[in-house]
Amino acid sequence: MAPLLATAWLLLAQANAWSTSHPCHVKSVHLASSKVTNDPATSADKIEQGQKRKWFPIHPADALSTNNDYNAIVKSAYVRHCLVETEEMADLILGLYVGGGAVDGESSLVLEDDDESTDLFDKLARQTSTCVHTRQDGGEIGWIDNPHYKQSNDDGSNLSSSIETSKLNDAVSEIISNQVLEQLFQRRVKGGDVLKLPIITNEQRSGDASAGWHVLRVDDLHLRPITTTDASSKSVVNKVRPKLKGSGAVPLSPLFQKRDDDSNAESSSNIVNSEVDREGNAIIYTIPDAKYYKIVTTGCQMNVADSERIMGVLENELGLTSLDQRGGSIGINELLAADDASDNSNNNKSTRKKETPDILLLNTCTIRDHAEQKVYDALGPYAAMKRAGKPLAIVVAGCVAQQEGEALLRRFPEIDLVLGPQYIPWLSDLLVEVGKGSQLCMTESMLWSESGGAAGNKKNGKGWNSSREKDRDWMVPMKRGHSVRGWVNVIYGCNEHCTYCVVPSVRGVEQSRSMEAILQECLSLASSGYKEVTLLGQNIDAYGRDMMPKRTFADLLHYLNNNLPDGTIERIRYVTSHPRYFSDRVIDAVANLDKVCECFHMPFQAGDDGVLRDMRRGYTYESYMNIIRKIRAKSPDAAICGDVIVGFPGETEEAFQRTLDLMEEVKFDNLNTFAYSPRPNTEAAEWINQIAAHVQSERLQRVQELAARHALERSERYVGNIVEVLVEDRNPKNKAECMGRTRQGRQVFFEGGIERLKGQLVNVKVLEARTWSLVGELSGIL
């Protein structure tokens, strides 16, 4: 095997060996000096240093409520480490890790290793760590307890925390001291954070030099958000639901049973949840047992990806089956058109299970106007079913759930669970609580955990020598809606607070996933035969800025491109960029990386500088066009797509004309067009200079006509050329045709057998240009 680290820095050793009395001492490995800065301070730390706090939270932990604060929910963290002798060595390891194996772009400092591991920290630990306990395991310590975790009595009283209450096992305490752990969790770490901490013993707390340095990587957090026995928790609205008023039947919910939960080993047919009313009559709240689900999805790609996670939890953890023939989800409009649920409420009991679900889950979007009313319309028939005695669990998830919160329960007390997007990893646990009679509103701010934190802890214990299979434990189970292309979330939430946008209030602050977790999900897709991934984020250019130390989206693109094996994932796409943060490095990555597709989604929203300022977008017409010019120069064949809003409050005809001017200068391949609508909890919704609906409609029509003309013009450039197409599906309007996309994202239709070609890269000669698609003939299979 080739040496892992280049000889330029690996074999240089200091004259004085580290004391062999250290419990983790092995033969020292020293690194050449290379000054790498590391600022692991959170926003709270920077405030203490005199910097002014912004009016909205930046670091994920800053957004947590008093009831849901960091030390009340973070029970433990899964940690790896490198143990080194000097701060200089720790700096270099940090720089190598964040730089993907190189420091300051120097090509001489690169990894030279012929094994198949894609975990850079694992490699660094094996070559540089001096810890005899963890070095051969790639620095893996495992789950370690948060010494500041707030223990509570059963009634939720007397919350307390103490470093002395931490129950670390002997093996962990030999590796990492309580003093270091105390510092680690004081930084309020999250998954993906990497930081250096000095080894400080009790004798050295007075200011003596440290005995060495830990470089620590946090893989994931073990979180405890569900406290149904805690009377102080706002997440539990009612422990047991009260009887409905009037003539309605007592609301029944099916019993949900986790497949791997030994505590529910008793036969479900014998389990019910009940109480006795004032007259001594038994009131039953749950009956066994849930088998079928229906999920309804609206909104953007983020909601689609969330629904895939939800379906994975329902099927893999709870053993439920979808009622939708396609095995996926439907939209609210389709549900309203197809379902007459109230008529089914009196069906014969033996056939009702086949026609109606045991759980209805609405995964909602709040971007469009009247989104809340559509949710209420969809819920009506199912609430009526429940009032009529149907044992049914009703869950409202997504953005409307986060926006409305307990108001949903007041409007429809038949709802069992209001689920904010950040609580999806705990869905199975929450439904188990629903089956016990709980009604929950889970919308408080929460840190993201890859698997809810519970799976790894339960299966592997808390010892330093625990070993988890990351391709399974680093993610919520998913049921993909497609077999060729998959969605992969890389960052959740948004910190921008544009004056028209509801996303920050319903999706929370930005929380980046670790590059390792993202890669593991992509590798899992690759092993299942997927050929394309689309990386998702409300503001994907913000990727990594909430991490310690900061990383960039360009870093992630390079990391994935370099570590996805050839012949597996052929294409990497991403949405959505923000012009305020878009970097030249991303343009270079798209232009030069073979797997990254030549397509830029660059929402501009408006062309007038005054409107952009009122929107709080942070860029101008000219700065936006500078980005477009750089893209055209470095990637001339790339597609450029965008979003635009017309009729924003205060938009004059002259300001609107600037939007048309920008469109003429760019000529977008595809443009998503919207008329402004006031959304709850946004600043612009309260302004008095709203634009009349008829003016908005007229401007929207003009924008759409111009966008269609430009789209056709961009399509025509393909005519007569041979393009590379990834075959995705059959053309739903012509079964003899296949449908695929070019690298630039243009749909292409051509005759061919989908059974043979699905998932294949093919060459297609373009014969006809349409506004939003192309028509061609198969030229060959790549």
Side-chain angles (χ1 to χ4, degrees):
M1 178 181 293
L4 175 66
L5 302 174
T7 56
W9 58 272
L10 173 62
L11 299 178
L12 295 179
Q14 294 180 349
N16 298 324
W18 198 1
S19 171
T20 56
S21 64
H22 194 280
C24 293
H25 174 78
V26 295
K27 182 179 179 180
S28 296
V29 179
H30 299 277
L31 309 180
S33 70
S34 177
K35 186 60 178 176
V36 179
T37 59
N38 174 44
D39 178 18
T42 65
S43 58
D45 297 325
K46 293 179 179 179
I47 293 166
E48 293 173 1
Q49 297 167 13
Q51 295 190 16
K52 184 178 179 182
R53 178 191 287 272
K54 294 187 177 180
W55 69 274
F56 54 86
I58 297 295
H59 190 272
D62 293 342
L64 297 175
S65 65
T66 302
N67 182 64
N68 224 21
D69 71 77
Y70 186 86
N71 290 319
I73 62 173
V74 177
K75 182 167 178 59
S76 57
Y78 198 89
V79 176
R80 289 179 179 270
H81 81 141
C82 285
L83 191 64
V84 295
E85 185 173 346
T86 67
E87 183 176 7
E88 190 174 58
M89 295 167 65
D91 281 336
L92 184 53
I93 290 173
L94 267 173
L96 286 167
Y97 176 72
V98 175
V103 175
D104 296 331
E106 295 186 24
S107 59
S108 60
L109 299 180
V110 296
L111 296 179
E112 297 178 2
D113 191 38
D114 58 4
D115 68 25
E116 296 182 356
S117 174
T118 57
D119 192 329
L120 176 58
F121 196 92
D122 179 286
K123 297 179 181 180
L124 287 168
R126 291 177 190 274
Q127 280 291 331
T128 66
S129 180
T130 59
C131 179
V132 294
H133 297 293
T134 66
R135 179 176 179 176
Q136 296 306 311
D137 294 323
E140 182 179 53
I141 298 176
W143 290 105
I144 56 177
D145 291 337
N146 175 10
H148 307 288
Y149 180 66
K150 294 182 179 178
Q151 306 293 336
S152 64
N153 297 325
D154 290 340
D155 62 357
S157 64
N158 298 324
L159 290 174
S160 63
S161 63
S162 171
I163 187 69
E164 285 74 26
T165 64
S166 178
K167 297 181 179 179
L168 297 172
N169 60 45
D170 293 338
V172 171
S173 62
E174 286 185 42
I175 297 171
I176 186 167
S177 69
N178 283 346
Q179 289 80 13
V180 172
L181 286 181
E182 187 174 5
Q183 294 181 66
L184 174 69
F185 285 98
Q186 279 177 345
R187 299 296 182 94
R188 299 183 302 171
V189 292
K190 60 185 287 292
D193 284 347
V194 186
L195 62 159
K196 64 178 186 183
L197 289 174
I199 300 172
I200 300 177
T201 65
N202 288 327
E203 293 76 15
Q204 294 163 327
R205 292 178 72 98
S206 60
D208 295 339
S210 69
W213 289 79
H214 289 286
V215 179
L216 298 155
R217 186 183 84 187
V218 179
D219 285 1
D220 201 0
L221 299 179
H222 174 48
L223 308 178
R224 293 288 181 87
I226 304 168
T227 54
T228 55
T229 58
D230 182 354
S232 67
S233 176
K234 297 179 181 178
S235 296
V236 182
V237 178
N238 296 299
K239 182 64 180 79
V240 178
R241 291 182 301 277
K243 183 176 180 179
L244 290 176
K245 303 291 184 182
S247 59
V250 174
L252 301 177
S253 294
L255 188 75
F256 295 93
Q257 195 168 3
K258 294 184 69 171
R259 284 178 165 179
D260 61 347
D261 191 347
D262 295 335
S263 65
N264 284 340
E266 184 181 353
S267 172
S268 62
S269 61
N270 298 323
I271 302 176
V272 297
N273 187 69
S274 64
E275 68 173 2
V276 178
D277 64 16
R278 292 180 179 180
E279 288 74 31
N281 301 314
I283 302 176
I284 298 176
Y285 290 92
T286 59
I287 67 170
D289 69 308
K291 294 182 180 179
Y292 303 103
Y293 74 87
K294 180 189 289 290
I295 183 168
V296 181
T297 305
T298 56
C300 66
Q301 299 96 329
M302 295 288 286
N303 272 27
V304 174
D306 285 347
S307 287
E308 291 182 345
R309 284 176 167 77
I310 290 169
M311 288 187 287
V313 171
L314 295 177
E315 297 191 11
N316 296 317
E317 296 187 11
L318 294 174
L320 305 182
T321 301
S322 172
L323 278 182
D324 185 32
Q325 292 182 352
R326 295 167 296 174
S329 63
I330 61 175
I332 283 184
N333 290 335
E334 184 179 351
L335 175 72
L336 292 171
D339 282 347
D340 188 4
S342 59
D343 290 343
N344 289 332
S345 61
N346 295 318
N347 284 356
N348 183 279
K349 191 172 182 179
S350 63
T351 61
R352 279 169 58 195
K353 283 284 186 181
K354 298 179 182 179
E355 298 175 354
T356 60
D358 298 298
I359 174 173
L360 171 72
L361 193 147
L362 304 183
N363 190 15
T364 59
C365 174
T366 188
I367 297 299
R368 297 284 191 176
D369 200 9
H370 307 303
E372 302 86 351
Q373 189 57 50
K374 283 191 175 183
V375 172
Y376 294 144
D377 291 343
L379 283 172
Y382 288 90
M385 289 171 57
K386 197 162 184 176
R387 287 193 295 271
K390 161 71 179 176
L392 172 67
I394 299 178
V395 180
V396 180
C399 297
V400 171
Q402 188 71 33
Q403 173 187 293
E404 298 294 297
E406 294 185 29
L408 279 165
L409 299 177
R410 290 192 292 270
R411 178 78 175 262
F412 281 98
E414 296 83 6
I415 295 173
D416 297 276
L417 171 61
V418 178
L419 185 76
Q422 65 271 29
Y423 285 91
I424 291 174
W426 294 276
L427 177 57
S428 60
D429 294 315
L430 294 168
L431 287 175
V432 168
E433 294 298 322
V434 165
K436 295 176 182 178
S438 295
Q439 184 183 49
L440 302 115
C441 180
M442 307 300 291
T443 55
E444 289 194 61
S445 296
M446 174 56 62
L447 298 176
W448 174 259
S449 172
E450 291 295 331
S451 60
N457 227 10
K458 182 182 295 185
K459 289 188 289 185
N460 301 314
K462 301 175 184 176
W464 67 268
N465 57 351
S466 64
S467 177
R468 63 179 185 169
E469 299 177 36
K470 292 179 183 175
D471 59 339
R472 292 189 301 183
D473 290 344
W474 272 33
M475 65 190 73
V476 175
M478 299 184 72
K479 180 178 180 180
R480 302 286 179 173
H482 202 273
S483 60
V484 176
R485 49 184 170 79
W487 310 107
V488 177
N489 291 96
V490 302
I491 180 172
Y492 299 90
C494 181
N495 288 352
E496 291 311 298
H497 289 260
C498 300
T499 57
Y500 59 85
C501 186
V502 72
V503 166
S505 65
V506 296
R507 285 281 178 176
V509 301
E510 294 164 357
Q511 298 191 60
S512 301
R513 297 176 68 195
S514 71
M515 292 197 294
E516 290 80 11
I518 295 166
L519 176 61
Q520 290 299 328
E521 185 171 341
C522 291
L523 289 173
S524 177
L525 287 169
S527 66
S528 299
Y530 283 76
K531 297 298 183 182
E532 177 179 300
V533 296
T534 299
L535 310 179
L536 298 179
Q538 252 90 22
N539 179 9
I540 206 162
D541 299 294
Y543 175 81
R545 70 177 179 181
D546 60 314
M547 292 174 136
M548 298 187 289
K550 292 181 180 180
R551 267 141 275 181
T552 69
F553 181 57
D555 294 335
L556 177 62
L557 290 177
H558 281 276
Y559 178 75
L560 295 177
N561 195 83
N562 294 340
N563 286 291
L564 288 171
D566 292 337
T568 59
I569 300 295
E570 303 283 356
R571 293 178 174 183
I572 299 173
R573 301 187 189 277
Y574 64 90
V575 290
T576 296
S577 293
H578 194 302
R580 183 177 185 177
Y581 302 102
F582 195 76
S583 73
D584 291 352
R585 288 190 64 219
V586 173
I587 299 176
D588 292 337
V590 173
N592 299 320
L593 298 180
D594 62 307
K595 293 182 176 66
V596 181
C597 290
E598 298 84 2
C599 185
F600 296 86
H601 185 216
M602 191 75 58
F604 70 100
Q605 308 302 6
D608 180 72
D609 289 351
V611 173
L612 289 171
R613 183 172 56 252
D614 290 342
M615 288 180 167
R616 197 184 290 121
R617 291 292 289 170
Y619 55 86
T620 65
Y621 183 114
E622 188 58 29
S623 64
Y624 182 89
M625 286 308 307
N626 282 337
I627 295 173
I628 302 301
R629 295 179 191 115
K630 290 177 181 178
I631 292 173
R632 296 291 193 214
K634 293 187 176 182
S635 188
D637 197 41
I640 299 178
C641 307
D643 297 350
V644 62
I645 298 171
V646 301
F648 186 76
E651 182 187 64
T652 64
E653 179 61 28
E654 292 76 15
F656 172 69
Q657 185 59 49
R658 290 292 284 163
T659 292
L660 300 180
D661 294 342
L662 188 146
M663 291 174 61
E664 288 284 12
E665 193 167 353
V666 176
K667 298 187 188 305
F668 291 94
D669 291 69
N670 186 58
L671 189 63
N672 300 317
T673 60
F674 307 91
Y676 170 77
S677 61
R679 308 309 304 135
N681 305 317
T682 61
E683 292 179 55
E686 306 297 325
W687 296 351
I688 61 174
N689 54 346
Q690 304 291 324
I691 304 300
H694 72 277
V695 176
Q696 288 185 330
S697 177
E698 186 268 340
R699 290 178 183 174
L700 183 62
Q701 182 177 353
R702 288 160 64 187
V703 161
Q704 290 174 339
E705 289 173 354
L706 184 59
R709 177 158 59 84
H710 290 159
L712 179 59
E713 182 179 334
R714 294 294 287 169
S715 288
E716 288 171 343
R717 67 194 173 107
Y718 293 104
V719 175
N721 295 329
I722 293 178
V723 295
E724 178 191 283
V725 174
L726 176 61
V727 183
E728 298 178 2
D729 287 302
R730 193 189 308 274
N731 182 354
K733 297 181 179 180
N734 184 344
K735 302 300 182 182
E737 288 186 342
C738 294
M739 185 280 289
R741 283 180 173 81
T742 67
R743 287 180 63 90
Q744 294 78 17
R746 217 26 149 219
Q747 275 193 331
V748 182
F749 299 99
F750 62 95
E751 289 190 359
I754 190 64
E755 295 79 7
R756 178 173 67 99
L757 297 177
K758 188 171 184 177
Q760 299 289 324
L761 286 174
V762 301
N763 280 330
V764 175
K765 184 175 182 179
V766 179
L767 304 177
E768 178 187 347
R770 296 175 180 172
T771 303
W772 311 112
S773 63
L774 307 170
V775 179
E777 61 181 9
L778 183 64
S779 179
I781 301 176
L782 298 178

